[in-house]
Amino acid sequence: MMKVFNIVGARPQIIKAAAISRAIRNHFQDSVEEILIHTGQHYDHSLSSVFFDELEMPHPVYNLKVGSGSHAVQTAKIMTGMEELLQKEKPDVVIVYGGTNSTMAAALVASKMHFPVVHIEAGLRSFNKSMPEEINRITTDHVSTLLFSPTITGFKNLINEGFHPENSPTYTIDNPKIYHSGDIMYDNALYYGSLVKKKNGLLEKFGTEPEEFVLATIHRPENTDDPVKLQKLFSCLMRISEEKQHSVILPLHPRTKISLEKTLPGDFMKNMKKNSKLHIIHPVSFLEFILLEKNAKMILTDSGGVQKEAHFFEKPSIVLREQTEWTELVNNGTSCLADSDTNEILKAYEKFANGNTYRFPKFYGDGKTAEFICNELLNNF
Ligand code: UD1
Ligand code: UDP
């Protein structure tokens, strides 16, 4: 029996881990023992506990309850907690996802204690090291033993950083294996997408219909921590909901809520609250969010996961960032990089609102990536 640490901390990691948990439950129950570990980086019900039952996941066996803090404090607490768990449980392998502080902290401790690290979502790069995620994922990749890149671009990034695709077993931290595996989030989109009911009352709550609203999310520090950018982005959402034919639904990340309340002028906030076509709501569950994605006319976001889900559900997206790791979407013409530039955002909005049909090629595998990854773990550990 292979003992696997499955590490989650932030919302998107819980969702990603659900794909691996599902593959284990359905295909590898006799050969893999999963120990789900929550670092506690995200702890609000709407960013954490809401997902476990809905996504049919096991509940975490351990929760380190690290909570919020500076990068150093959060990273240090995760490392200390993980060290104890690794000593106690001695897993065969440690799986980490994406590029959060939880990812890097767990990978650093595990690798230094000589436990093999498996990085799912390896190789993604924005080439902007002012993003904390860029530092986290580069560090994680370089201490990992198996690296699963969702895209060919990510796979090539790894080769450019000195990883050798021709390495052969036995794989170790000094002789790592890189894969172009496909994306477990595509597995999830197919699986959970089929569970979402067409009408569950959610759209009616906002007085809107399919294709009549724009879905938005904003949470990146480069947007939330810069009051000028933040005001520009929310002004655009106001303009779309006031002047254009679409209402806007924005499930608000707590980080953004705090910044809005702290930094935007009182008058501006009052106008936003008065606007009946701008629905700023609490974060919603994954199935509810998928329902919104499937029914939106288009999606405005600075989220990594949401950009791709827009593609999975064949919706164009406006990316509120300067760069993206998912460059194939921009090259495909269905994602526009607009940063917080009002003209660029409104230009992209007009382009996507005009009813053209777009192609959404299958860039992200066959929907069975989690199964492939589990097989590779069993072959190698
Ligand atoms: C983190 C990840 C980011 C990922 C995002 C997913 C890092 C460096 N960043 O960003 O890569 O895209 O998660 O959503 O790891 N807060 C709450 N309740 C919570 C969690 C956070 O109110 O349950 C507030 C706190 O004020 C906290 C702030 O949000 O300081 C930021 O949380 P944090 O986990 O540090 O980073 P995220 O912005 O969520
Ligand atoms: N999501 C959700 N509820 C919400 C907003 C997002 O379930 O209210 C999901 C979304 O479907 C995607 C993931 O959260 O799978 C993206 O997480 P986030 O944007 O926080 O992080 P990122 O992907 O940018 O790291």
Side-chain angles (χ1 to χ4, degrees):
M1 198 76 158
M2 180 175 66
K3 194 192 257 193
V4 171
F5 266 19
N6 200 9
I7 311 286
V8 302
R11 164 171 68 188
Q13 294 169 319
I14 302 171
I15 298 169
K16 286 167 199 168
I20 294 292
S21 288
R22 195 171 59 251
I24 295 173
R25 191 175 65 240
N26 291 341
H27 304 285
F28 304 97
Q29 246 182 8
D30 297 336
S31 43
V32 178
E33 180 197 356
E34 174 191 12
I35 301 187
L36 189 68
I37 296 174
H38 197 329
T39 65
Q41 175 170 350
H42 283 178
Y43 45 87
D44 284 355
H45 171 72
S46 62
L47 292 191
S48 174
S49 48
V50 66
F51 296 109
F52 293 97
D53 288 333
E54 181 180 63
L55 304 187
E56 306 160 350
M57 298 172 74
H59 283 245
V61 180
Y62 298 101
N63 189 328
L64 300 177
K65 296 198 173 155
V66 300
S68 303
S70 68
H71 286 276
V73 166
Q74 196 171 56
T75 307
K77 282 188 178 170
I78 299 169
M79 290 179 75
T80 317
M82 277 300 302
E83 186 174 50
E84 268 182 40
L85 291 184
L86 286 162
Q87 263 155 1
K88 179 173 169 208
E89 292 282 355
K90 300 195 174 27
D92 296 299
V93 61
V94 176
I95 302 180
V96 295
Y97 302 88
T100 70
N101 287 346
S102 296
T103 318
M104 184 194 69
L108 276 182
V109 187
S111 59
K112 285 193 163 185
M113 293 173 74
H114 307 152
F115 293 97
V117 174
V118 170
H119 189 199
I120 298 184
E121 241 185 42
L124 298 180
R125 300 290 180 263
S126 61
F127 301 99
N128 174 358
K129 289 203 184 93
S130 67
M131 290 177 70
E133 293 83 1
E134 188 77 348
I135 293 177
N136 288 341
R137 56 196 167 214
I138 292 174
T139 310
T140 303
D141 280 339
H142 287 264
V143 297
S144 291
T145 293
L146 301 187
L147 296 89
F148 293 96
S149 176
T151 60
I152 190 68
T153 311
F155 185 73
K156 286 183 184 160
N157 288 338
L158 291 172
I159 295 172
N160 290 338
E161 285 177 21
F163 287 89
H164 302 295
E166 66 280 6
N167 282 359
S168 57
T170 304
Y171 299 119
T172 63
I173 188 171
D174 288 316
N175 181 42
K177 169 73 176 165
I178 60 172
Y179 300 85
H180 171 208
S181 59
D183 193 333
I184 54 172
M185 284 306 289
Y186 182 52
D187 302 11
N188 275 342
L190 294 180
Y191 180 76
Y192 297 111
S194 72
L195 300 184
V196 166
K197 306 258 177 329
K198 236 194 157 125
K199 288 215 164 206
N200 74 348
L202 191 62
L203 299 192
E204 290 80 345
K205 225 164 90 183
F206 304 117
T208 190
E209 295 280 336
E211 301 291 317
E212 285 191 358
F213 68 95
V214 165
L215 178 64
T217 75
I218 297 170
H219 79 277
R220 294 278 166 191
E222 62 260 38
N223 288 326
T224 60
D225 299 1
D226 177 338
V228 176
K229 276 190 160 193
L230 195 64
Q231 185 158 355
K232 274 183 9 191
L233 288 173
F234 277 84
S235 299
C236 277
L237 298 181
M238 295 265 274
R239 284 186 62 179
I240 290 173
S241 60
E242 279 166 352
E243 299 168 17
K244 313 283 178 188
Q245 78 231 47
H246 294 109
S247 50
V248 174
I249 300 178
L250 170 75
L252 195 63
H253 191 288
R255 171 184 207 110
T256 319
K257 183 170 190 281
I258 294 166
S259 294
L260 277 179
E261 286 163 359
K262 243 196 336 216
T263 58
L264 292 201
D267 284 356
F268 187 86
M269 294 295 286
K270 262 194 211 144
N271 281 341
M272 280 213 300
K273 281 185 187 141
K274 271 198 275 173
N275 181 338
S276 62
K277 287 182 75 190
L278 174 57
H279 304 280
I280 300 184
I281 60 175
H282 291 297
V284 294
S285 77
F286 189 53
L287 294 189
E288 286 175 328
F289 196 74
I290 290 184
L291 180 93
L292 293 173
E293 289 175 321
K294 281 179 137 184
N295 284 291
K297 177 70 182 171
M298 71 184 86
I299 298 179
L300 274 71
T301 191
D302 59 8
S303 155
V306 177
Q307 279 173 63
K308 263 181 309 155
E309 285 164 359
H311 182 82
F312 301 151
F313 298 121
E314 308 203 334
K315 304 292 173 177
S317 62
I318 303 176
V319 178
L320 310 172
R321 289 181 43 194
E322 278 179 73
Q323 313 88 6
T324 178
E325 302 77 32
W326 309 103
T327 48
E328 54 285 336
L329 302 180
V330 177
N331 297 337
N332 191 50
T334 41
S335 228
C336 270
L337 274 179
D339 194 14
S340 57
D341 184 312
T342 309
N343 287 337
E344 290 298 318
I345 294 172
L346 295 177
K347 206 166 80 191
Y349 169 86
E350 295 299 343
K351 175 181 160 190
F352 292 140
N354 72 10
N356 280 355
T357 47
Y358 294 96
R359 281 181 57 256
F360 294 88
K362 299 209 178 318
F363 292 129
Y364 299 99
D366 60 1
K368 294 186 176 148
T369 297
E371 230 174 291
F372 170 78
I373 290 173
C374 289
N375 261 319
E376 286 305 304
L377 297 191
L378 281 166
N379 290 340
N380 287 292
F381 299 112

